Amino acid sequence: MAGHSKFKNIMHRKGAQDKKRSNLFSKLSREITVAAKMGAPDPDMNPRLRLAINNAKAQSMPKDNIQRAIDKATGGDDENYEEVRYEGYGPGGSAIIVEALTDNRNRTATAVRTAFSKNGGNLGTEGSVAHGFERLGLVEYPASAGDEEKVLMAAMDAGAEDIESGKDGHTIWTAADDLHAVADALEKSLGEPENVKLAWKPNITVEMDEKGAGTLLKLIDALDDDDDVQTVWGNYEISDDVMDKLDA
C-alpha cells in the first residue's frame, strides 16, 4: 500500500460545487431519492442510501431536505430516474467520464454533447475511455483526521487497497465491492468521512498546460452545472502552478 502518490483525481475545479449551493443540494437529493427507491428507505438496511445521506451531511445539507428526498421515494412519486454514463475526450488528450441520473435520456445526452463540443471536447461512445480507468471505492478524509501514519494504519486495518495523503487530506481507495465495509470500519477509527462513493480512477494521467487546463475546467464546469450530471471524472492532472495562474 503506497503512502504517497503523484496522482490526484480532480473531479471538478476546487470550489466548483460551492458556486451553486441549491444545484448541489438538488443533485444530492436526487441520489437520495434514487437510492431509497432502489432499496429500503431505511439507511441501516440500504448501503447506497446510507452513503448518499452521509455525503449530503458532509455538504451541510439540512436534515429536512434529506428527509424530503427520502419521503419523495416512498410517497408514490412518479419520477423515474435512470443511471446513465457518458464518455468523451477533453482538451489536451484528456479522457472524461460523466455520470448522470436522468428522467429524460434525450435531454441529458443533448446537454452533455453540447458541453463537450463548446469546450474543446468530443463526446464518444460508451466504452471509448472507460477502459483506461478502474472502478474503485473512494473514501476521503480531511487532513484533520490524523497524520499519514495514523490514517495509513486505519486504512490497512479496514481492508483498503491504497492511500494517498497530502496537505489537502487523505484519499483512500478500496475494491468496489468492499467500499461499504471499509467505509464503516474507517468511520469507527477516524470519524465520519468527507466523501464516500464509487469512483473512476485513471490508470494513466495526462498533465495539462495552462491553455488546455483553462478550456478543460470550462468543460467540467459546464457539465457540473447540468442538473442531471452527478459526477465528472477525468484522467488529467493540473499542477498547483497552472491552477494558481488560472485562479489569478
Side-chain angles (χ1 to χ4, degrees), residues 39-50:
D42 180 357
D44 291 333
M45 303 291 292
N46 184 337
R48 177 169 175 171
L49 177 58
R50 185 165 66 251

Side-chain angles (χ1 to χ4, degrees), residues 6 8-9 19 91 93 103 110 158 170 172 177 218 220 222:
K6 181 184 176 186
K8 183 178 181 183
N9 183 39
K19 285 192 311 180
D103 58 354
T110 299
H170 309 278
I172 300 165
D177 292 341
K218 289 180 181 177
I220 294 168

Side-chain angles (χ1 to χ4, degrees), residues 71-196:
D71 292 343
K72 189 174 183 181
T74 59
D77 174 52
D78 58 359
E79 286 183 334
N80 288 308
Y81 295 107
E82 58 179 322
E83 296 175 298
V84 186
R85 186 177 83 231
Y86 301 96
E87 303 175 31
Y89 300 91
S94 57
I96 306 294
I97 294 178
V98 181
E99 294 179 311
L101 286 174
T102 180
D103 58 354
N104 187 322
R105 273 178 173 259
N106 290 335
R107 179 192 67 224
T108 308
T110 299
V112 170
R113 184 178 294 107
T114 299
F116 271 92
S117 63
K118 286 187 175 181
N119 295 285
N122 291 289
L123 186 62
T125 57
E126 186 173 340
S128 58
V129 304
H131 59 83
F133 292 75
E134 287 183 88
R135 190 62 162 165
L136 297 173
L138 170 66
V139 185
E140 293 180 310
Y141 275 93
S144 59
D147 60 23
E148 180 182 343
E149 183 177 359
K150 176 185 176 181
V151 177
L152 175 60
M153 294 304 296
M156 291 178 67
D157 289 343
E161 292 193 347
D162 197 8
I163 173 176
E164 298 154 9
S165 293
K167 63 180 181 179
D168 295 328
H170 309 278
T171 301
I172 300 165
W173 297 99
T174 81
D177 292 341
D178 295 339
L179 175 59
H180 301 302
V182 172
D184 287 345
L186 285 170
E187 187 168 348
K188 293 174 183 175
S189 57
L190 298 176
E192 193 169 302
E194 281 187 324
N195 204 1
V196 179

